Amino acid sequence: MKPKVFITRKIPEEALKKISRSCEVSIWDKEDVPVPREVLEREIVNADGLYSLLTDNIDDELMERAENLKVISNMAVGYNNIDLEAAAKRGIMVTNTPGVLTETTADLTFALILAAARRLFEASDFLRRGEWKTWSPMLLTGQDVYGATLGIIGMGRIGEAVARRAKGFNMKILYHNRKRRPEAEKELGAVYVDMETLLKESDFVCIMTPYTPETHGLIGEKELQLMKKTAILINTARGGIVNEDALYKALKNGDIYAAGLDVFENEPVPTDHPLLTLPNVVALPHIGSASRKTRITMANLAAENLLLALDGKVPPNLVPYQI
Ligand code: GLV
């Protein structure tokens, strides 16, 4: 009998075909509507495998209904949407899609650095509104990226890829990480510092750490106050790592210069969110890994992880679980 798989969204054709060849597939076949909880609750009951997205909350209560579930394959590198402890106690494997989105996400991170520093969206809106009267010495002046100091919080694969790009901009690279990364220090000239030093000395503070209970609200009022008035905060990790109220106040009061945000605590961020009223916020709808090629590769990798697990093998991208 073919294993039963539930897929929580319309996914690229190639990945769907791969799974359909050996599985009985049920799918929430919508592009831009997340699967309703009651559908997920119904579908999980008979599923051997779940193909999920970062928008799906896969919690203990849901897994309790899933007697046959062997694997949850998340089409994302982050897996904060899955209760790992609940999965581990039931022997359910959890997989993610690391590696394949590293460079694409680093590109977007660098795009945010440049856009926030050089006020690209503000400048473009200014032009479109017909306010461009003449070239003027101090018109729409921003901050330099070239030669500035970049502080990376969380020196994993994506952090390193951002640091490689920063080298080309002759930036000084500081980093903070749970563990020191001697290879990054040697190859990229990255300097390990404590959080306080990173916040005080960086022109760009770039959040690249996973979202866990420990990193929730990692950047709050105290941390923002330590930053330079000319500094820019970049977040392409998860919104909940930053306290958004504190960030709004810091940006509004000129305690920091600008922010580039691809992620928000609640997504989609409501259009009346205070942060979106500020001209010094560049805001994007969680598109870090969104190149066509990378998303197709992620979808295929998630399919491979799922199929290997259903075949009784250990998939290559089992997420690390520590109690
Ligand atoms: C995107 O945010 C991901 O975790 O892949």
Side-chain angles (χ1 to χ4, degrees):
M1 225 170 51
K2 287 180 172 183
K4 293 186 174 59
V5 167
F6 181 58
I7 304 176
T8 65
R9 196 78 65 86
K10 188 174 161 105
I11 58 170
E13 199 56 38
E14 203 179 304
L16 179 60
K17 277 201 187 130
K18 234 189 243 292
I19 301 169
S20 304
R21 256 180 245 132
S22 55
C23 301
E24 192 180 314
V25 173
S26 174
I27 181 167
W28 177 256
D29 201 16
K30 304 250 190 313
E31 201 131 31
D32 44 14
V33 185
V35 60
R37 179 75 183 187
E38 64 273 16
V39 176
L40 191 51
E41 282 178 357
R42 195 176 61 229
E43 292 286 351
I44 202 83
V45 174
N46 292 318
D48 299 295
L50 178 68
Y51 186 111
S52 58
L53 303 189
L54 58 86
T55 46
D56 306 318
N57 179 23
I58 314 297
D59 55 18
D60 191 42
E61 197 193 319
L62 191 77
M63 288 183 225
E64 186 57 35
R65 310 169 70 88
E67 287 194 3
N68 304 335
L69 197 63
K70 289 171 196 63
V71 56
I72 301 163
S73 174
N74 214 35
M75 191 198 134
V77 66
Y79 42 82
N80 55 290
N81 59 308
I82 301 169
D83 183 337
L84 293 187
E85 199 179 324
K89 78 178 179 209
R90 295 180 173 86
I92 300 171
M93 290 186 252
V94 178
T95 64
N96 66 340
T97 60
V100 295
L101 46 58
T102 300
E103 301 300 337
T104 304
T105 307
D107 280 352
L108 194 277
T109 305
F110 226 85
L112 272 180
I113 290 175
L114 289 164
R118 297 298 301 275
R119 304 171 60 184
L120 295 192
F121 290 86
E122 241 185 298
S124 174
D125 290 347
F126 168 88
L127 177 152
R128 286 166 192 271
R129 282 195 308 267
E131 289 174 27
W132 186 21
K133 302 286 183 270
T134 180
W135 187 93
S136 172
M138 296 308 284
L139 177 66
L140 286 162
T141 48
Q143 305 289 340
D144 272 321
V145 176
Y146 184 86
T149 298
L150 173 68
I152 296 176
I153 300 175
M155 191 60 117
R157 273 180 281 240
I158 304 175
E160 278 186 19
V162 171
R164 277 200 306 279
R165 284 155 180 75
K167 258 185 93 159
F169 280 70
N170 203 28
M171 295 175 95
K172 176 173 172 189
I173 301 159
L174 306 179
Y175 80 99
H176 185 74
N177 200 50
R178 267 179 314 179
K179 280 188 265 170
R180 277 186 73 157
R181 302 291 309 274
E183 352 49 278
E185 294 179 21
K186 203 161 128 236
E187 281 156 35
L188 302 163
V191 178
Y192 178 84
V193 289
D194 59 33
M195 265 294 262
E196 189 169 327
T197 307
L198 184 143
L199 293 165
K200 279 184 177 162
E201 294 186 5
S202 299
D203 299 306
F204 297 87
V205 172
C206 209
I207 300 168
M208 314 254 57
T209 185
Y211 186 36
T212 64
E214 290 75 48
T215 62
H216 175 77
L218 181 72
I219 303 295
E221 190 184 334
K222 182 172 136 259
E223 290 70 28
L224 292 160
Q225 289 299 328
L226 288 171
M227 288 170 64
K228 297 180 188 178
K229 283 201 175 344
T230 50
I232 295 174
L233 183 76
I234 303 293
N235 190 3
T236 52
R238 286 292 184 271
I241 300 172
V242 177
N243 179 323
E244 291 177 349
D245 292 338
L247 178 62
Y248 171 76
K249 285 191 196 113
L251 287 162
K252 178 99 182 143
N253 297 339
D255 298 333
I256 68 169
Y257 185 79
L261 308 172
D262 184 42
V263 286
F264 295 85
E265 175 137 34
N266 293 307
E267 298 180 358
V269 63
T271 50
D272 61 355
H273 192 289
L275 280 170
L276 302 186
T277 64
L278 299 173
N280 51 348
V281 169
V282 175
L284 298 176
H286 205 147
I287 56 165
S289 61
S291 76
R292 214 186 133 68
K293 181 164 159 247
T294 292
R295 285 289 168 82
I296 290 171
T297 310
M298 286 166 69
N300 286 337
L301 183 57
E304 281 156 27
N305 282 324
L306 179 94
L307 294 175
L308 279 170
L310 289 175
D311 200 22
K313 313 235 164 60
V314 179
N317 304 120
L318 264 189
V319 307
Y321 173 68
Q322 289 147 1
I323 299 186

